[in-house]
Amino acid sequence: MEKETLKGRPEVKTGRPVKQHKRRQIAAAMCTPLEKKLIEVNAKRADMTVSEFLRELGLKTRIQVKVRTLPKEVLQFTGRLNNVASNMNQLARKRNSGDELNALERALLNQGIREIHGLVLDIKAYVK
């Protein structure tokens, strides 16, 4: 429905059309003056504003995520340490409950201690 003005003519809306989703948030990126100039040149080459260019890159470009994996040796060290720790925990639980360790359990404890010493030496050699 059109409004009537004082002179009897219908009021016509002028100016820029209202956008459905107005962009009000700022996303800033730090860069060197050279990087800024390169971004501006690339945006101009693409016939876009810098905002349009960066928004397009940020929303449409897929970045390949770098997956960092541990070396095989480190995974083996970790697995072995977990195994030895579990064995020693079982022996300590038995000892702390008041039970005496039998000869086999004492041998397992000594073997675990030797394995830990060996792993420590392996880790030191690997790191050097």
Side-chain angles (χ1 to χ4, degrees), residues 74-117:
V74 173
L75 293 174
Q76 288 174 337
F77 290 149
T78 305
R80 192 66 196 129
L81 280 172
N82 285 333
N83 184 271
V84 170
S86 175
N87 290 342
M88 293 184 88
N89 187 41
Q90 290 171 0
L91 294 170
R93 183 177 294 137
K94 182 173 182 179
R95 180 69 181 108
N96 290 334
S97 69
D99 293 341
E100 290 295 321
L101 299 178
N102 62 33
L104 176 63
E105 291 167 335
R106 281 194 299 275
L108 287 173
L109 184 60
N110 287 331
Q111 179 186 356
I113 291 170
R114 283 191 302 277
E115 284 186 57
I116 290 174
H117 286 298

Side-chain angles (χ1 to χ4, degrees), residues 53-71:
F53 181 74
L54 292 175
R55 192 170 38 251
E56 186 77 17
L57 281 176
L59 295 174
K60 302 283 169 83
T61 304
R62 292 230 172 217
I63 303 294
Q64 185 173 354
V65 179
K66 294 179 183 176
V67 179
R68 296 190 328 176
T69 58
L70 295 173

Side-chain angles (χ1 to χ4, degrees), residues 19-37:
K19 289 187 176 183
Q20 186 177 8
H21 299 288
K22 185 146 176 81
R23 291 186 172 93
R24 292 188 174 102
Q25 299 296 311
I26 296 173
M30 300 300 290
C31 59
T32 65
L34 177 61
E35 290 169 335
K36 182 179 179 187
K37 190 65 179 169

